[in-house]
Amino acid sequence: MIGIIEVYGSMLLRALGQTLLLTLLSLLFAMVIGMIFGLMNVGHNRVLNLIGTIYVDAVRGVPLIVLAYFIYFGVPAGMQGLGFASFRLNALQAGTAALSMNCGAYMAEIIRAGIESVDRGQMEAARSLGLSYSSSMALVVIPQAVRTMIPSIINQFIITLKDTSILSIIGFPELTNVGKTIVGNTLKSLQTWAIVGVMYMVVIVTLSKVAKRIERRVNRGR
């Protein structure tokens, strides 16, 4: 095991960095997607409600591995069929898109639940002061909802971090994919996957502790 760390330690650390980069990019885009569709689902426009519901149900109903294959192989093939012969997506772009769409669907539900957890009287009070619906949502409701959403958002970050391992199937050089390469070079499966597992565990346990601490602070602040 020590020999693997000495020879492949830098490669594993780079792969961990790639995993964290993919997770952060995906969570950033997922927040935008989640906010858009979450607001659609809490609004009073039935058309927007329907669009938001269809997106959330459709994306959550498709396995991430299928979504990754669709974006990495299917979308370029479709674009080339439309005449865009040079259209390509690299593994980072396709992986970020797949994770963002998948995570965004769950973020939409987190945001919807967070907004609905705020007492309706807050919106009514803001509207009675002359604020528009959008201003009331942005200035009054969402800031209160964020306090409720933060622990769930961190938990979703952890889930997304673990889901990056699925993207080894499209060749993205994240931690699991590099682990496969090391096993192929050394034939030391037990030691390699033990190292990879510990690296995942250290990051995820750290994030879990942060989530619990934030949740305790939020609960004390109420």
Side-chain angles (χ1 to χ4, degrees), residues 26-76:
S26 300
L27 192 67
L28 177 63
F29 290 117
M31 283 291 294
V32 176
I33 294 170
M35 183 63 71
I36 292 171
F37 288 100
L39 290 174
M40 283 184 178
N41 286 334
V42 297
H44 302 296
N45 188 306
R46 291 187 178 182
V47 174
L48 294 180
N49 290 162
L50 180 62
I51 294 172
T53 300
I54 290 173
Y55 175 81
V56 171
D57 291 345
V59 173
R60 293 201 304 177
V62 176
L64 179 57
I65 189 171
V66 175
L67 187 60
Y69 276 135
F70 175 78
I71 294 174
Y72 189 62
F73 296 110
V75 171

Short mmCIF file of all heavy atoms in Angstrom, two decimals, residues 26-76:
data_model
loop_
_atom_site.label_atom_id
_atom_site.label_comp_id
_atom_site.label_asym_id
_atom_site.label_seq_id
_atom_site.Cartn_x
_atom_site.Cartn_y
_atom_site.Cartn_z
N SER A 26 -20.48 21.48 -10.78
CA SER A 26 -21.82 20.91 -10.90
C SER A 26 -22.77 21.52 -9.88
O SER A 26 -23.92 21.84 -10.21
CB SER A 26 -21.77 19.39 -10.72
OG SER A 26 -20.95 18.80 -11.70
N LEU A 27 -22.29 21.71 -8.66
CA LEU A 27 -23.16 22.28 -7.62
C LEU A 27 -23.49 23.73 -7.93
O LEU A 27 -24.62 24.18 -7.69
CB LEU A 27 -22.48 22.18 -6.26
CG LEU A 27 -23.40 22.47 -5.06
CD1 LEU A 27 -24.47 21.40 -4.93
CD2 LEU A 27 -22.61 22.58 -3.76
N LEU A 28 -22.53 24.47 -8.50
CA LEU A 28 -22.76 25.86 -8.86
C LEU A 28 -23.88 25.96 -9.90
O LEU A 28 -24.84 26.73 -9.73
CB LEU A 28 -21.48 26.48 -9.40
CG LEU A 28 -21.57 27.94 -9.89
CD1 LEU A 28 -21.95 28.86 -8.74
CD2 LEU A 28 -20.26 28.39 -10.52
N PHE A 29 -23.76 25.17 -10.97
CA PHE A 29 -24.80 25.19 -12.00
C PHE A 29 -26.11 24.60 -11.48
O PHE A 29 -27.20 25.05 -11.86
CB PHE A 29 -24.34 24.42 -13.24
CG PHE A 29 -23.25 25.11 -14.01
CD1 PHE A 29 -21.99 24.55 -14.14
CD2 PHE A 29 -23.47 26.35 -14.59
CE1 PHE A 29 -20.98 25.19 -14.85
CE2 PHE A 29 -22.47 27.00 -15.31
CZ PHE A 29 -21.22 26.42 -15.43
N ALA A 30 -26.00 23.60 -10.62
CA ALA A 30 -27.21 22.99 -10.06
C ALA A 30 -27.98 23.98 -9.19
O ALA A 30 -29.22 23.93 -9.15
CB ALA A 30 -26.84 21.75 -9.24
N MET A 31 -27.27 24.86 -8.50
CA MET A 31 -27.95 25.88 -7.70
C MET A 31 -28.79 26.79 -8.58
O MET A 31 -29.92 27.14 -8.24
CB MET A 31 -26.92 26.70 -6.93
CG MET A 31 -26.34 26.01 -5.72
SD MET A 31 -27.55 25.80 -4.40
CE MET A 31 -27.85 27.51 -3.95
N VAL A 32 -28.22 27.17 -9.73
CA VAL A 32 -28.96 28.03 -10.67
C VAL A 32 -30.17 27.28 -11.21
O VAL A 32 -31.30 27.81 -11.23
CB VAL A 32 -28.04 28.48 -11.83
CG1 VAL A 32 -28.84 29.29 -12.85
CG2 VAL A 32 -26.87 29.30 -11.29
N ILE A 33 -29.94 26.04 -11.65
CA ILE A 33 -31.05 25.23 -12.18
C ILE A 33 -32.11 25.01 -11.11
O ILE A 33 -33.32 25.15 -11.34
CB ILE A 33 -30.52 23.88 -12.70
CG1 ILE A 33 -29.61 24.09 -13.91
CG2 ILE A 33 -31.67 22.94 -13.06
CD1 ILE A 33 -28.87 22.84 -14.35
N GLY A 34 -31.65 24.66 -9.90
CA GLY A 34 -32.58 24.40 -8.81
C GLY A 34 -33.39 25.62 -8.44
O GLY A 34 -34.59 25.51 -8.15
N MET A 35 -32.75 26.79 -8.44
CA MET A 35 -33.46 28.02 -8.11
C MET A 35 -34.54 28.31 -9.15
O MET A 35 -35.68 28.68 -8.81
CB MET A 35 -32.48 29.18 -8.00
CG MET A 35 -33.13 30.50 -7.58
SD MET A 35 -33.86 30.44 -5.92
CE MET A 35 -32.37 30.38 -4.90
N ILE A 36 -34.20 28.14 -10.42
CA ILE A 36 -35.16 28.41 -11.49
C ILE A 36 -36.38 27.50 -11.38
O ILE A 36 -37.53 27.96 -11.34
CB ILE A 36 -34.50 28.25 -12.87
CG1 ILE A 36 -33.45 29.35 -13.10
CG2 ILE A 36 -35.55 28.27 -13.99
CD1 ILE A 36 -32.59 29.14 -14.33
N PHE A 37 -36.13 26.20 -11.30
CA PHE A 37 -37.25 25.26 -11.29
C PHE A 37 -37.93 25.20 -9.92
O PHE A 37 -39.14 24.91 -9.84
CB PHE A 37 -36.79 23.88 -11.73
CG PHE A 37 -36.48 23.80 -13.20
CD1 PHE A 37 -35.17 23.88 -13.66
CD2 PHE A 37 -37.51 23.69 -14.13
CE1 PHE A 37 -34.89 23.82 -15.02
CE2 PHE A 37 -37.24 23.64 -15.49
CZ PHE A 37 -35.93 23.71 -15.94
N GLY A 38 -37.17 25.49 -8.85
CA GLY A 38 -37.80 25.56 -7.53
C GLY A 38 -38.79 26.70 -7.45
O GLY A 38 -39.90 26.55 -6.92
N LEU A 39 -38.42 27.86 -8.01
CA LEU A 39 -39.33 29.01 -8.03
C LEU A 39 -40.53 28.75 -8.94
O LEU A 39 -41.63 29.21 -8.67
CB LEU A 39 -38.58 30.27 -8.48
CG LEU A 39 -37.56 30.82 -7.48
CD1 LEU A 39 -36.77 31.96 -8.10
CD2 LEU A 39 -38.25 31.28 -6.20
N MET A 40 -40.29 28.01 -10.04
CA MET A 40 -41.42 27.65 -10.89
C MET A 40 -42.45 26.83 -10.12
O MET A 40 -43.66 27.00 -10.29
CB MET A 40 -40.92 26.82 -12.10
CG MET A 40 -40.26 27.63 -13.18
SD MET A 40 -39.82 26.55 -14.58
CE MET A 40 -39.13 27.75 -15.72
N ASN A 41 -41.96 25.96 -9.26
CA ASN A 41 -42.85 25.05 -8.54
C ASN A 41 -43.60 25.70 -7.39
O ASN A 41 -44.58 25.14 -6.90
CB ASN A 41 -42.08 23.83 -8.03
CG ASN A 41 -41.72 22.86 -9.14
OD1 ASN A 41 -42.40 22.80 -10.15
ND2 ASN A 41 -40.65 22.10 -8.95
N VAL A 42 -43.14 26.86 -6.92
CA VAL A 42 -43.84 27.53 -5.81
C VAL A 42 -44.66 28.71 -6.31
O VAL A 42 -45.38 29.34 -5.52
CB VAL A 42 -42.85 28.00 -4.72
CG1 VAL A 42 -42.13 26.83 -4.10
CG2 VAL A 42 -41.86 29.03 -5.27
N GLY A 43 -44.54 29.03 -7.59
CA GLY A 43 -45.30 30.15 -8.14
C GLY A 43 -46.76 29.80 -8.35
O GLY A 43 -47.21 28.67 -8.09
N HIS A 44 -47.51 30.76 -8.85
CA HIS A 44 -48.95 30.57 -9.05
C HIS A 44 -49.31 30.36 -10.52
O HIS A 44 -50.47 30.24 -10.85
CB HIS A 44 -49.72 31.78 -8.51
CG HIS A 44 -49.46 32.05 -7.07
ND1 HIS A 44 -49.82 31.16 -6.07
CD2 HIS A 44 -48.87 33.10 -6.43
CE1 HIS A 44 -49.47 31.65 -4.89
NE2 HIS A 44 -48.88 32.82 -5.08
N ASN A 45 -48.30 30.31 -11.38
CA ASN A 45 -48.53 30.08 -12.80
C ASN A 45 -48.54 28.58 -13.07
O ASN A 45 -47.53 27.89 -12.89
CB ASN A 45 -47.43 30.77 -13.62
CG ASN A 45 -47.71 30.73 -15.11
OD1 ASN A 45 -47.93 29.68 -15.68
ND2 ASN A 45 -47.69 31.90 -15.74
N ARG A 46 -49.68 28.07 -13.52
CA ARG A 46 -49.82 26.63 -13.70
C ARG A 46 -48.91 26.08 -14.80
O ARG A 46 -48.42 24.95 -14.71
CB ARG A 46 -51.27 26.28 -14.02
CG ARG A 46 -52.22 26.49 -12.84
CD ARG A 46 -53.61 25.98 -13.16
NE ARG A 46 -54.49 26.15 -12.01
CZ ARG A 46 -55.77 25.75 -11.99
NH1 ARG A 46 -56.29 25.17 -13.08
NH2 ARG A 46 -56.50 25.93 -10.91
N VAL A 47 -48.66 26.89 -15.83
CA VAL A 47 -47.76 26.44 -16.91
C VAL A 47 -46.35 26.26 -16.37
O VAL A 47 -45.69 25.25 -16.64
CB VAL A 47 -47.78 27.45 -18.07
CG1 VAL A 47 -46.75 27.06 -19.12
CG2 VAL A 47 -49.17 27.54 -18.70
N LEU A 48 -45.88 27.26 -15.58
CA LEU A 48 -44.54 27.15 -14.99
C LEU A 48 -44.48 26.00 -13.99
O LEU A 48 -43.46 25.30 -13.90
CB LEU A 48 -44.16 28.47 -14.32
CG LEU A 48 -43.98 29.67 -15.26
CD1 LEU A 48 -43.60 30.91 -14.46
CD2 LEU A 48 -42.93 29.39 -16.33
N ASN A 49 -45.56 25.81 -13.22
CA ASN A 49 -45.62 24.68 -12.30
C ASN A 49 -45.44 23.36 -13.05
O ASN A 49 -44.70 22.47 -12.61
CB ASN A 49 -46.96 24.65 -11.56
CG ASN A 49 -47.11 25.77 -10.56
OD1 ASN A 49 -48.21 26.08 -10.14
ND2 ASN A 49 -46.01 26.40 -10.16
N LEU A 50 -46.13 23.26 -14.19
CA LEU A 50 -46.06 22.03 -14.98
C LEU A 50 -44.66 21.81 -15.53
O LEU A 50 -44.13 20.69 -15.48
CB LEU A 50 -47.07 22.10 -16.12
CG LEU A 50 -47.13 20.89 -17.06
CD1 LEU A 50 -47.52 19.63 -16.28
CD2 LEU A 50 -48.09 21.14 -18.21
N ILE A 51 -44.04 22.89 -16.04
CA ILE A 51 -42.68 22.77 -16.58
C ILE A 51 -41.71 22.33 -15.48
O ILE A 51 -40.88 21.43 -15.68
CB ILE A 51 -42.23 24.10 -17.20
CG1 ILE A 51 -43.07 24.43 -18.43
CG2 ILE A 51 -40.74 24.05 -17.57
CD1 ILE A 51 -42.82 25.82 -18.98
N GLY A 52 -41.81 22.97 -14.32
CA GLY A 52 -40.93 22.62 -13.21
C GLY A 52 -41.13 21.19 -12.76
O GLY A 52 -40.17 20.46 -12.50
N THR A 53 -42.38 20.75 -12.68
CA THR A 53 -42.68 19.38 -12.25
C THR A 53 -42.16 18.36 -13.25
O THR A 53 -41.59 17.33 -12.87
CB THR A 53 -44.20 19.20 -12.06
OG1 THR A 53 -44.66 20.13 -11.08
CG2 THR A 53 -44.52 17.78 -11.61
N ILE A 54 -42.35 18.64 -14.55
CA ILE A 54 -41.88 17.72 -15.59
C ILE A 54 -40.36 17.58 -15.53
O ILE A 54 -39.82 16.47 -15.61
CB ILE A 54 -42.33 18.20 -16.99
CG1 ILE A 54 -43.83 18.04 -17.14
CG2 ILE A 54 -41.59 17.44 -18.09
CD1 ILE A 54 -44.39 18.63 -18.42
N TYR A 55 -39.66 18.71 -15.37
CA TYR A 55 -38.19 18.64 -15.32
C TYR A 55 -37.73 17.80 -14.13
O TYR A 55 -36.90 16.89 -14.28
CB TYR A 55 -37.59 20.05 -15.22
CG TYR A 55 -36.09 20.01 -15.05
CD1 TYR A 55 -35.25 19.84 -16.14
CD2 TYR A 55 -35.51 20.11 -13.78
CE1 TYR A 55 -33.88 19.77 -15.98
CE2 TYR A 55 -34.14 20.04 -13.61
CZ TYR A 55 -33.33 19.88 -14.72
OH TYR A 55 -31.98 19.80 -14.56
N VAL A 56 -38.26 18.11 -12.95
CA VAL A 56 -37.83 17.40 -11.74
C VAL A 56 -38.13 15.92 -11.85
O VAL A 56 -37.26 15.07 -11.58
CB VAL A 56 -38.51 18.01 -10.50
CG1 VAL A 56 -38.25 17.13 -9.26
CG2 VAL A 56 -38.00 19.42 -10.25
N ASP A 57 -39.34 15.57 -12.26
CA ASP A 57 -39.71 14.16 -12.35
C ASP A 57 -38.93 13.43 -13.43
O ASP A 57 -38.52 12.28 -13.24
CB ASP A 57 -41.21 14.03 -12.62
CG ASP A 57 -42.06 14.46 -11.43
OD1 ASP A 57 -41.50 14.58 -10.32
OD2 ASP A 57 -43.28 14.67 -11.61
N ALA A 58 -38.73 14.10 -14.57
CA ALA A 58 -38.03 13.45 -15.69
C ALA A 58 -36.57 13.18 -15.34
O ALA A 58 -36.07 12.07 -15.55
CB ALA A 58 -38.13 14.31 -16.94
N VAL A 59 -35.89 14.18 -14.81
CA VAL A 59 -34.46 14.01 -14.53
C VAL A 59 -34.25 13.04 -13.37
O VAL A 59 -33.35 12.19 -13.41
CB VAL A 59 -33.81 15.37 -14.23
CG1 VAL A 59 -32.36 15.19 -13.76
CG2 VAL A 59 -33.84 16.25 -15.47
N ARG A 60 -35.07 13.14 -12.33
CA ARG A 60 -34.92 12.21 -11.20
C ARG A 60 -35.31 10.79 -11.58
O ARG A 60 -34.89 9.84 -10.92
CB ARG A 60 -35.76 12.68 -10.01
CG ARG A 60 -35.26 13.98 -9.41
CD ARG A 60 -35.73 14.16 -7.98
NE ARG A 60 -37.17 14.11 -7.84
CZ ARG A 60 -37.79 14.18 -6.67
NH1 ARG A 60 -37.10 14.31 -5.55
NH2 ARG A 60 -39.12 14.14 -6.63
N GLY A 61 -36.08 10.64 -12.64
CA GLY A 61 -36.49 9.31 -13.07
C GLY A 61 -35.50 8.61 -13.97
O GLY A 61 -35.69 7.44 -14.32
N VAL A 62 -34.43 9.30 -14.37
CA VAL A 62 -33.41 8.72 -15.26
C VAL A 62 -32.13 8.48 -14.46
O VAL A 62 -31.63 9.40 -13.81
CB VAL A 62 -33.12 9.67 -16.44
CG1 VAL A 62 -32.00 9.11 -17.31
CG2 VAL A 62 -34.37 9.88 -17.27
N PRO A 63 -31.58 7.27 -14.49
CA PRO A 63 -30.31 7.02 -13.79
C PRO A 63 -29.20 7.95 -14.30
O PRO A 63 -29.15 8.27 -15.49
CB PRO A 63 -30.00 5.56 -14.13
CG PRO A 63 -31.32 4.96 -14.48
CD PRO A 63 -32.11 6.06 -15.12
N LEU A 64 -28.34 8.37 -13.41
CA LEU A 64 -27.27 9.30 -13.78
C LEU A 64 -26.38 8.72 -14.87
O LEU A 64 -25.93 9.45 -15.76
CB LEU A 64 -26.43 9.65 -12.54
CG LEU A 64 -25.25 10.60 -12.77
CD1 LEU A 64 -25.70 11.91 -13.39
CD2 LEU A 64 -24.51 10.84 -11.45
N ILE A 65 -26.12 7.44 -14.84
CA ILE A 65 -25.25 6.83 -15.85
C ILE A 65 -25.88 6.94 -17.24
O ILE A 65 -25.19 7.19 -18.23
CB ILE A 65 -24.94 5.35 -15.49
CG1 ILE A 65 -23.86 4.81 -16.43
CG2 ILE A 65 -26.19 4.49 -15.54
CD1 ILE A 65 -23.33 3.45 -16.00
N VAL A 66 -27.21 6.80 -17.32
CA VAL A 66 -27.90 6.95 -18.60
C VAL A 66 -27.84 8.40 -19.06
O VAL A 66 -27.62 8.69 -20.25
CB VAL A 66 -29.36 6.48 -18.49
CG1 VAL A 66 -30.13 6.74 -19.79
CG2 VAL A 66 -29.42 5.00 -18.13
N LEU A 67 -28.02 9.33 -18.13
CA LEU A 67 -27.95 10.75 -18.46
C LEU A 67 -26.56 11.12 -18.96
O LEU A 67 -26.41 11.88 -19.92
CB LEU A 67 -28.31 11.57 -17.22
CG LEU A 67 -28.46 13.09 -17.40
CD1 LEU A 67 -29.54 13.42 -18.41
CD2 LEU A 67 -28.76 13.75 -16.06
N ALA A 68 -25.53 10.56 -18.32
CA ALA A 68 -24.15 10.83 -18.74
C ALA A 68 -23.89 10.30 -20.14
O ALA A 68 -23.28 10.98 -20.98
CB ALA A 68 -23.17 10.21 -17.75
N TYR A 69 -24.35 9.08 -20.43
CA TYR A 69 -24.20 8.52 -21.78
C TYR A 69 -24.95 9.37 -22.80
O TYR A 69 -24.46 9.61 -23.91
CB TYR A 69 -24.74 7.09 -21.82
CG TYR A 69 -23.76 6.03 -21.37
CD1 TYR A 69 -24.16 5.01 -20.52
CD2 TYR A 69 -22.45 6.04 -21.82
CE1 TYR A 69 -23.27 4.02 -20.11
CE2 TYR A 69 -21.55 5.06 -21.43
CZ TYR A 69 -21.96 4.05 -20.57
OH TYR A 69 -21.07 3.09 -20.17
N PHE A 70 -26.15 9.80 -22.44
CA PHE A 70 -26.97 10.60 -23.36
C PHE A 70 -26.26 11.90 -23.73
O PHE A 70 -26.21 12.28 -24.91
CB PHE A 70 -28.32 10.90 -22.72
CG PHE A 70 -29.20 11.83 -23.53
CD1 PHE A 70 -29.89 11.37 -24.63
CD2 PHE A 70 -29.31 13.17 -23.20
CE1 PHE A 70 -30.69 12.21 -25.38
CE2 PHE A 70 -30.09 14.03 -23.94
CZ PHE A 70 -30.79 13.56 -25.04
N ILE A 71 -25.70 12.58 -22.72
CA ILE A 71 -25.05 13.87 -22.98
C ILE A 71 -23.71 13.68 -23.69
O ILE A 71 -23.38 14.42 -24.63
CB ILE A 71 -24.87 14.65 -21.66
CG1 ILE A 71 -26.24 15.03 -21.10
CG2 ILE A 71 -24.01 15.90 -21.87
CD1 ILE A 71 -26.19 15.67 -19.73
N TYR A 72 -22.94 12.69 -23.28
CA TYR A 72 -21.59 12.52 -23.82
C TYR A 72 -21.60 11.93 -25.24
O TYR A 72 -20.82 12.35 -26.10
CB TYR A 72 -20.77 11.62 -22.90
CG TYR A 72 -19.30 11.55 -23.25
CD1 TYR A 72 -18.50 12.69 -23.22
CD2 TYR A 72 -18.71 10.34 -23.62
CE1 TYR A 72 -17.15 12.63 -23.54
CE2 TYR A 72 -17.36 10.27 -23.93
CZ TYR A 72 -16.59 11.42 -23.89
OH TYR A 72 -15.25 11.36 -24.21
N PHE A 73 -22.49 10.95 -25.47
CA PHE A 73 -22.54 10.30 -26.78
C PHE A 73 -23.73 10.75 -27.61
O PHE A 73 -23.61 10.98 -28.81
CB PHE A 73 -22.60 8.77 -26.61
CG PHE A 73 -21.38 8.18 -25.97
CD1 PHE A 73 -21.44 7.66 -24.68
CD2 PHE A 73 -20.18 8.13 -26.65
CE1 PHE A 73 -20.31 7.11 -24.08
CE2 PHE A 73 -19.04 7.59 -26.06
CZ PHE A 73 -19.11 7.07 -24.77
N GLY A 74 -24.90 10.85 -26.97
CA GLY A 74 -26.12 11.12 -27.70
C GLY A 74 -26.23 12.53 -28.24
O GLY A 74 -26.55 12.74 -29.42
N VAL A 75 -25.95 13.52 -27.39
CA VAL A 75 -26.09 14.92 -27.81
C VAL A 75 -25.14 15.26 -28.97
O VAL A 75 -25.58 15.84 -29.98
CB VAL A 75 -25.88 15.87 -26.62
CG1 VAL A 75 -25.81 17.32 -27.09
CG2 VAL A 75 -27.02 15.72 -25.61
N PRO A 76 -23.85 14.93 -28.91
CA PRO A 76 -22.97 15.21 -30.06
C PRO A 76 -23.44 14.50 -31.34
O PRO A 76 -23.39 15.09 -32.42
CB PRO A 76 -21.61 14.68 -29.61
CG PRO A 76 -21.65 14.77 -28.13
CD PRO A 76 -23.06 14.43 -27.76
#
